[in-house]
Amino acid sequence: MSSKARRIGVITSGGDAPGMNGVVRAVVRMGISHGCEVYGIYEGYEGLVKGGSLIKRMEWEDVRGWLSEGGTLIGTARCMAFYNRPGRLQAAYNMILNGIDALVICGGDGSLTGADKFRAEWPSLLEELAGQGKITKEQMTVHKHLNIVGLVGSIDNDMSSTDATIGCYSSLGRICQAVDYIDATAFSHQRAFVIEVMGRHCGWLALMAGVSTGADFVFIPERPPSADWEAQMCGIIAKHRKLGKRKTIVIVAEGAHDRMLKKITSTQVKDLLSQKLGLDTRITTLGHVQRGGNACAYDRMLSTLQGVEAVNAVLEATPETPTPVISIIENKIVRQPLIEAVQDTHAVASAIAAKDFDLAMGGRGTEFAEYYQAYMMTTGPESPELRLAPEKHMRIAIIHVGAPAGGMNSATRAAVAYCLTRGHTPIAIHNGFPGLCRHHDDKPTGSVRETAWLDVEGWISKGGSEIGTNRGLPSEDIEKTAACFAQYKFDALFVVGGFEAFTAISEMRKARQFYSAFKIPMVLLPATISNNVPGTEYSIGSDTCLNALVEYCDAIRQSASSSRRRVFVVETQGGRSGYVATLAGLAIGATAVYTPEEGIGIKMLARDIETMRASFAKDKGQSRAGKLILNSEHSSKTYTTEMIANMIQAEANGRFEAKYAVPGHVQQGGTPSPMDRVRAVRLAVKCMQYLEDFSGRTPDSIAGDDSSSAVIGIKGASVIFSNMEHLEKHETNWKDRRPLDEFWLGLKDVVNTLSGRPKADDCCPTCGRKN
């Protein structure tokens, strides 16, 4: 069947999750752009069974503004009828009445399992309907195959085969915000708080909340505490208090239990802290506030990209294609066999029930296990069983280079805690390389400081850089830099920063032939809102920036829509990389995105102005009529953001108006997002482990090893370390300060497709009108 003949139904089912509306929008618009008809099936499977007005053909404008809405605008409901064959028979009949031959379903594992069963029964359901005389042989032939594609919408992130489910990071954001607020009052009164979060069968929310808030103890179903957990928890918290910590946070998943599967309640934990430790303790149960609200930037992007991939999967499917579920592994959208994913998910529950907790942890995937390990390594400084032999101890310097980015402090806290746990000496270099050279020996306190756990304990949620950062490079005084390295006997260097940090490691690597002090292992954790460091597709701080920008643009769009017929041109940061503008454009549904990679030309502007003219001409009074254009700050020396807005205003002929807005450094500041926090912790721990591997080696041996200067990065579905020399020679655009191959460039086509922006080849080169 050709794509033009396809009729795709889209359903949201199970518990609602932020981002579901992004799925519906993407499926509707991507389907229409491929010549398909798309039907919204309202109220989940209940709408499929009842049919009638609950199955509605959706047009392009029907999903305008949906990205910024929470919950699911087409509804979801439990449908007991669909659990039984007569209900599925009626659902099949309603699909055939509407000519629907493919379903895209966004829901949890129960919803997706039901969908696959529906597909397996499809031939027999058609035969039964034909036998009852409800459908003709022709209808039976036309609809003999049903394609189903699954997307996982779940705040619990409880589906195996994917690193993130749609809605989970928005939910984590609610939890972290609540704990951050509680943290302040806990500190003020030296109180303890027990926070209960969702997660009946999966501890992802509890674990990630623990990592991203620096909780003292975490209870999750997959890894119950030891048999004497009461003494273990009280011992850890008492130790933290003895070190000078004023507050205590314990995170409890609602499905928490001990190793005998006996439930552990928040009340039990509270009573222990109150009675055994004498702490003034409160319980906070967050409840359904975790589920509600708008989707964060990541969930908007994830839902959009997975929705687009779902339509592609429908159009590429054959009768023999197994039902896929659209997943994300690290940074890559992939298709996985749905039944295997569901089976693996159920296997985790079975492993927990069988008290095989190692198998349960393994079933959650590598990323989950690494986050758990990172939490355990950084939750407190005194774990004798994890301490290395004295001869393996290192003096590890930590420095921030470049502009501030959310998550820099989280990474530093994790690195310091890991060092102290292993017996290393963490040394913070304050105010970058200029601080090192100019103020290292200041009295009473210089810029080179050995760091204690209590110094950094409260940094996990702090924005900016607590040790200071700037763009100064070693080359400004390379000899003095080397002398300081030698004076303070650094054994390894951990650098957190952006392209300047990348340049700094490059300079020191090349200077090894002149200065032996640089013959130490050096690793860079990319941290920049621009996400322009070679060797990675993700930089710490970029998610925080996108959240800030999306929140800003939501407010701007509200103004544009309320004022009717208004276009806002918003200027984004990002240096000479268009990453921020493009990903934000994807998350807010921008009309157009201008980037330095593509540039801006007069014909491009003419096409976009003509497209807006045509769009506003068709506007018959619909709501949400405002439009946004994102312009990356260095897209053009000539066409500035203000000039673009003025040109649009001049060419609108009174049909609409244009304004410009510049959020500026708002994009750099603020509290780090949960994603930036947890990834900063995980990647910082990996960096420390990487540096540890060089312990005991001679300087010349280290200098002769290409891997001794490296960048940690997420590339596709993997976390890898790339050696600097290779990156410098083969993957770096030094002139424009960005990677030669930018993974996100293809996403501009998605932004354009979903906004309805025509291609240059489809428009008149003179006037810009669509042919």
Side-chain angles (χ1 to χ4, degrees):
M1 189 178 290
S2 69
S3 64
K4 288 186 177 180
R6 302 308 295 265
R7 291 188 177 185
I8 303 171
V10 58
I11 301 177
T12 55
S13 180
D16 66 296
M20 282 183 163
N21 292 319
V23 170
V24 178
R25 173 183 177 271
V27 171
V28 169
R29 292 196 169 182
M30 191 67 178
I32 291 173
S33 72
H34 280 285
C36 305
E37 294 179 9
V38 182
Y39 290 76
I41 300 170
Y42 286 69
E43 312 306 339
Y45 285 120
E46 185 176 319
L48 203 58
V49 173
K50 290 185 176 179
S53 62
L54 294 179
I55 300 178
K56 173 191 170 186
R57 182 174 175 181
M58 302 193 78
E59 303 296 345
W60 189 275
E61 295 298 328
D62 291 337
V63 292
R64 178 192 284 178
W66 281 32
L67 267 174
S68 60
E69 298 288 341
T72 165
L73 293 173
I74 61 173
T76 179
R78 289 191 177 275
C79 181
M80 298 309 296
F82 195 78
Y83 283 89
N84 303 309
R85 185 176 172 86
R88 294 191 291 274
L89 185 70
Q90 184 62 36
Y93 178 62
N94 287 329
M95 284 183 61
I96 292 170
L97 280 182
N98 287 278
I100 298 170
D101 51 38
L103 284 176
V104 174
I105 298 157
C106 181
D109 67 319
S111 301
L112 300 181
T113 302
D116 194 69
K117 184 175 184 180
F118 188 43
R119 183 191 181 189
E121 288 182 345
W122 185 256
S124 65
L125 293 172
L126 294 192
E127 288 178 8
E128 190 171 340
L129 288 170
Q132 295 174 357
K134 290 187 174 181
I135 63 172
T136 65
K137 287 188 176 180
E138 182 182 356
Q139 285 176 310
M140 190 174 175
T141 301
V142 171
H143 295 281
K144 63 181 179 179
H145 299 300
L146 172 65
N147 291 127
I148 285 178
V149 178
L151 297 90
V152 192
S154 167
I155 66 166
D156 294 328
N157 199 15
D158 54 356
M159 177 69 84
S160 296
S161 81
T162 187
D163 287 342
T165 56
I166 294 165
C168 70
Y169 274 103
S170 297
S171 179
L172 181 60
R174 309 281 180 273
I175 295 169
C176 290
Q177 185 179 51
V179 176
D180 288 347
Y181 291 162
I182 288 168
D183 202 73
T185 190
F187 182 91
S188 300
H189 296 276
Q190 298 192 60
R191 281 182 180 147
F193 275 85
V194 181
I195 315 293
E196 183 173 310
V197 302
M198 287 185 172
R200 192 172 302 144
H201 305 294
C202 177
W204 188 87
L205 281 175
L207 175 60
M208 295 301 140
V211 173
S212 53
T213 62
D216 296 84
F217 208 83
V218 169
F219 292 92
I220 61 174
E222 296 87 348
R223 181 66 78 191
S226 60
D228 63 339
W229 66 266
E230 296 97 332
Q232 180 191 14
M233 179 188 72
C234 290
I236 288 172
I237 291 171
K239 191 183 297 180
H240 290 176
R241 289 282 179 156
K242 187 177 180 181
L243 287 167
K245 192 173 181 183
R246 289 177 56 89
K247 58 185 173 57
T248 298
I249 301 291
V250 177
I251 309 287
V252 182
E254 61 179 325
H257 51 74
D258 63 18
R259 288 189 166 269
M260 299 308 294
L261 305 184
K262 182 181 177 182
K263 185 170 178 59
I264 295 174
T265 67
S266 298
T267 302
Q268 279 179 277
V269 176
K270 171 191 176 292
D271 290 345
L272 276 167
L273 297 179
S274 298
Q275 295 166 13
K276 284 201 171 185
L277 297 181
L279 297 178
D280 182 6
T281 308
R282 303 284 193 273
I283 295 175
T284 298
T285 302
L286 296 180
H288 281 73
V289 73
Q290 297 162 80
R291 191 182 291 281
N294 300 341
C296 66
Y298 180 81
D299 278 329
R300 297 189 195 192
M301 294 182 292
L302 181 64
S303 60
T304 298
L305 295 176
Q306 289 195 344
V308 167
E309 183 65 12
V311 173
N312 291 334
V314 165
L315 298 180
E316 295 168 12
T318 67
E320 294 75 32
T321 304
T323 301
V325 62
I326 310 301
S327 305
I328 185 165
I329 305 298
E330 297 295 355
N331 213 39
K332 186 176 182 181
I333 303 291
V334 296
R335 302 176 195 174
Q336 309 267 31
L338 186 148
I339 285 301
E340 288 183 18
V342 171
Q343 288 172 346
D344 290 345
T345 302
H346 291 169
V348 175
S350 299
I352 292 173
K355 303 174 187 173
D356 190 342
F357 303 115
D358 288 337
L359 183 61
M361 286 293 291
R364 289 290 181 220
T366 302
E367 186 183 63
F368 187 89
E370 288 183 353
Y371 276 122
Y372 181 80
Q373 180 192 38
Y375 173 75
M376 297 304 294
M377 297 290 287
T378 60
T379 191
E382 295 184 16
S383 301
E385 71 279 7
L386 298 174
R387 199 172 181 85
L388 294 173
E391 63 271 16
K392 293 187 176 180
H393 292 174
M394 305 172 76
R395 289 173 57 81
I396 299 179
I398 303 167
I399 190 169
H400 295 176
V401 182
M408 279 183 155
N409 294 318
S410 306
T412 303
R413 176 189 179 276
V416 168
Y418 182 91
C419 285
L420 295 172
T421 298
R422 302 287 275 173
H424 305 305
T425 302
I427 304 163
I429 300 174
H430 289 249
N431 301 316
F433 286 103
L436 172 68
C437 294
R438 299 170 192 167
H439 304 291
H440 69 96
D441 56 356
D442 283 2
K443 304 297 181 185
T445 305
S447 60
V448 180
R449 307 173 196 171
E450 293 188 11
T451 307
W453 180 71
L454 201 61
D455 294 335
V456 300
E457 192 280 322
W459 289 8
I460 189 75
S461 60
K462 287 184 178 289
S465 167
E466 288 294 302
I467 65 172
T469 184
N470 57 53
R471 300 179 187 274
L473 295 172
S475 56
E476 292 173 15
D477 194 341
I478 195 75
E479 188 172 347
K480 183 69 173 178
T481 302
C484 289
F485 271 47
Q487 180 178 342
Y488 293 99
K489 299 178 181 178
F490 298 153
D491 296 316
L493 179 66
F494 176 48
V495 185
V496 183
F499 200 88
E500 288 85 2
F502 180 83
T503 305
I505 291 187
S506 173
E507 290 179 353
M508 290 184 289
R509 183 193 69 78
K510 293 173 181 176
R512 281 173 168 172
Q513 58 181 314
F514 306 110
Y515 304 101
S516 61
F518 295 144
K519 293 180 179 180
I520 59 174
M522 308 175 189
V523 66
L524 167 63
L525 172 53
T528 166
I529 68 168
S530 304
N531 197 21
N532 63 338
V533 177
T536 188
E537 295 174 4
Y538 167 83
S539 299
I540 303 297
S542 59
D543 186 66
T544 300
C545 168
L546 288 171
N547 277 321
L549 191 53
V550 165
E551 186 177 350
Y552 181 91
C553 288
D554 281 350
I556 290 289
R557 186 188 289 280
Q558 188 177 67
S559 170
S561 299
S562 299
S563 304
R564 308 304 302 252
R565 302 176 178 274
R566 178 175 285 177
V567 179
F568 268 97
V569 185
V570 179
E571 182 173 293
T572 70
Q573 291 190 336
R576 295 185 181 90
S577 170
Y579 172 85
V580 171
T582 301
L583 273 289
L586 197 66
I588 65 168
T591 298
V593 171
Y594 302 137
T595 63
E597 288 83 356
E598 187 178 19
I600 305 174
I602 189 66
K603 291 183 179 180
M604 178 189 293
L605 291 172
R607 288 195 304 272
D608 290 337
I609 291 169
E610 187 55 41
T611 299
M612 284 183 282
R613 274 188 191 146
S615 176
F616 281 117
K618 290 188 293 185
D619 184 358
K620 303 292 184 185
Q622 301 105 313
S623 62
R624 306 187 184 97
K627 298 184 185 299
L628 293 184
I629 292 174
L630 298 187
N631 179 40
S632 190
E633 58 186 342
H634 293 300
S635 294
S636 171
K637 292 181 179 179
T638 304
Y639 299 107
T640 63
T641 302
E642 183 178 4
M643 179 182 286
I644 293 169
N646 290 339
M647 290 175 68
I648 294 172
Q649 177 79 28
E651 295 296 324
N653 295 330
R655 287 187 175 274
F656 53 92
E657 61 178 351
K659 304 284 186 182
Y660 74 97
V662 183
H665 283 73
V666 165
Q667 298 162 77
Q668 287 184 6
T671 302
S673 72
M675 173 176 282
D676 279 334
R677 297 190 211 181
V678 297
R679 284 190 168 178
V681 171
R682 178 189 176 208
L683 297 178
V685 167
K686 280 182 169 289
C687 287
M688 293 299 103
Q689 292 168 338
Y690 189 81
L691 294 174
E692 273 182 345
D693 288 342
F694 291 90
S695 176
R697 293 177 57 176
T698 65
D700 287 338
S701 169
I702 292 171
D705 187 338
D706 289 343
S707 66
S708 64
S709 54
V711 175
I712 191 172
I714 294 174
K715 280 191 169 183
S718 303
V719 176
I720 62 172
F721 287 89
S722 302
N723 79 68
M724 280 294 300
E725 186 172 6
H726 171 81
L727 293 175
E728 292 164 22
K729 291 179 178 178
H730 304 292
E731 297 189 25
T732 305
N733 178 345
W734 288 99
K735 175 178 173 290
D736 293 320
R737 295 164 47 88
R738 64 191 187 216
L740 284 173
D741 182 18
E742 295 178 288
F743 79 98
W744 53 266
L745 287 175
L747 299 181
K748 279 203 69 176
D749 292 335
V750 178
V751 175
N752 292 340
T753 297
L754 298 185
S755 71
R757 188 186 187 195
K759 297 178 181 177
D761 294 343
D762 297 332
C763 298
C764 171
T766 304
C767 68
R769 291 182 180 175
K770 192 172 181 180
N771 295 327

